[in-house]
Amino acid sequence: MSKREIQVLELVADGKSNSDVSELLGISPKTVARHRERIMSKLNMHSTTELVKFAFRSGLISLKNP
């Protein structure tokens, strides 16, 4: 995955919407959607839940204490 795709994956896995991610990264929501599509295709995944599970298992995100 590209550096940008990893950034998008981390934010999506953290619960951010496409519009949230676009604002945080300074890219359009359509670009975020394209990145998500590419990530899902590369990982052979079909849902955001699968992406979150992958991000957690691979150490991209972790459980945070409140």
Side-chain angles (χ1 to χ4, degrees), residues 3 9 13 21 23-24 29 34 38 54 63:
K3 181 180 175 182
L9 175 56
V21 174
E23 286 181 30
L24 289 166
R34 276 189 244 119
R38 286 188 190 118
F54 170 81
L63 294 177

Side-chain angles (χ1 to χ4, degrees), residues 2-33:
S2 71
K3 181 180 175 182
R4 180 63 91 186
E5 288 171 338
I6 292 169
Q7 289 174 320
V8 169
L9 175 56
E10 289 173 332
L11 292 168
V12 167
D14 198 37
K16 304 288 189 242
S17 67
N18 282 1
S19 59
D20 292 337
V21 174
S22 72
E23 286 181 30
L24 289 166
L25 298 180
I27 57 179
S28 77
K30 283 188 176 186
T31 301
V32 174

Side-chain angles (χ1 to χ4, degrees), residues 14-66:
D14 198 37
K16 304 288 189 242
S17 67
N18 282 1
S19 59
D20 292 337
V21 174
S22 72
E23 286 181 30
L24 289 166
L25 298 180
I27 57 179
S28 77
K30 283 188 176 186
T31 301
V32 174
R34 276 189 244 119
H35 283 307
R36 283 178 71 147
E37 289 170 11
R38 286 188 190 118
I39 293 165
M40 292 174 83
S41 176
K42 287 178 180 183
L43 298 175
N44 193 31
M45 296 182 178
H46 307 287
S47 71
T48 301
T49 302
E50 290 176 303
L51 288 178
V52 172
K53 287 168 63 175
F54 170 81
F56 180 73
R57 289 179 181 152
S58 65
L60 291 172
I61 60 168
S62 61
L63 294 177
K64 298 176 186 173
N65 292 327

